[in-house]
């Protein structure tokens, strides 16, 4: 389907695919699936992935063990394919397969993990977008910025 959509596309804009939280029979929560999907198309219009920290956590990627998770991601899709982060903490447990975002540091992923994620993003010049509720999003932005400055 993706191949069909991209066939004949000649624009400069690149597509990135976002990982899912893995609810129901949905595909794309396992990053090796996304890798397979990307490799299965011959389009240069796909730049890589947008890694949603909450969705990956819900799919069993435990950011609290940062090194282990990074190694797993590298093996499954390659760290160079991460083009963007959706930075969201998680209201639900690792492996819950539920898509429930929390403010940074207020969820089960926690502040320490986001310090590591933000440092990794900064080092690799990967932008971060928040998808948390608006009432406290300013605080989330300040926190992430402070983590990136360290
Ligand atoms: Zn997202």
């Amino acid at each position: 389907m993706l191949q069909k959509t991209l066939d004949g596309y000649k624009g400069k804009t690149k597509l990135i695919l976002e990982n899912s939280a893995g609810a129901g029979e949905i595909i794309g929560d396992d990053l090796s699936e996304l890798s397979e999907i990307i490799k299965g198309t011959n389009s240069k219009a796909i730049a890589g992935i947008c890694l949603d920290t909450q969705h990956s956590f819900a799919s069993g990627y435990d950011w609290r063990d940062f090194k282990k998770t990074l190694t797993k991601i590298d093996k499954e899709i390659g760290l160079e394919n991460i083009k963007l982060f959706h930075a969201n903490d998680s209201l639900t447990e690792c492996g819950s397969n539920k898509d429930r975002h929390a403010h940074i540091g207020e969820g089960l992923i926690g502040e320490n993990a986001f310090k590591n994620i933000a440092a990794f993003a900064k080092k690799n010049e990967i932008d971060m977008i928040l998808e948390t509720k608006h009432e406290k999003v300013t605080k989330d932005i300040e926190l992430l910025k402070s983590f990136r400055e360290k």
Side-chain angles (χ1 to χ4, degrees):
M1 198 171 69
L2 193 56
Q3 181 66 58
K4 259 190 186 172
T5 307
L6 295 171
D7 269 349
Y9 176 73
K10 290 181 180 75
K12 286 180 186 164
T13 305
K14 303 264 187 193
L15 179 72
I16 52 177
L17 304 177
E18 180 176 356
N19 61 314
S20 72
E25 297 299 309
I26 223 161
I27 58 164
D29 61 317
D30 186 325
L31 295 177
S32 54
E33 289 175 355
L34 281 186
S35 176
E36 217 175 295
I37 291 168
I38 292 170
K39 283 177 189 153
T41 64
N42 59 20
S43 176
K44 289 190 174 86
I46 302 175
I49 62 162
C50 166
L51 190 56
D52 189 308
T53 54
Q54 195 282 327
H55 296 175
S56 55
F57 187 71
S59 302
Y61 296 80
D62 194 344
W63 290 107
R64 295 167 296 193
D65 190 341
F66 187 71
K67 261 193 178 166
K68 192 178 161 197
T69 295
L70 219 56
T71 305
K72 181 177 156 87
I73 293 170
D74 197 25
K75 228 184 253 168
E76 292 182 356
I77 196 159
L79 296 178
E80 71 282 1
N81 282 305
I82 305 172
K83 303 299 178 191
L84 182 70
F85 276 106
H86 277 176
N88 307 298
D89 211 327
S90 182
L91 285 175
T92 56
E93 226 352 297
C94 185
S96 65
N97 292 125
K98 287 188 180 127
D99 184 350
R100 306 276 186 281
H101 298 181
H103 291 288
I104 306 300
E106 292 183 13
L108 295 165
I109 297 175
E111 208 172 292
N112 265 343
F114 275 102
K115 283 179 183 167
N116 288 323
I117 296 166
F120 172 81
K122 184 185 179 184
K123 188 178 157 215
N124 294 287
E125 299 178 323
I126 303 167
D127 287 331
M128 306 179 94
I129 292 177
L130 284 152
E131 296 179 311
T132 54
K133 285 192 181 151
H134 278 231
E135 92 274 10
K136 277 197 277 182
V137 79
T138 316
K139 192 186 149 225
D140 290 333
I141 294 169
E142 281 170 14
L143 261 180
L144 283 181
K145 278 187 175 172
S146 76
F147 297 162
R148 283 176 76 109
E149 278 158 17
K150 280 172 191 160

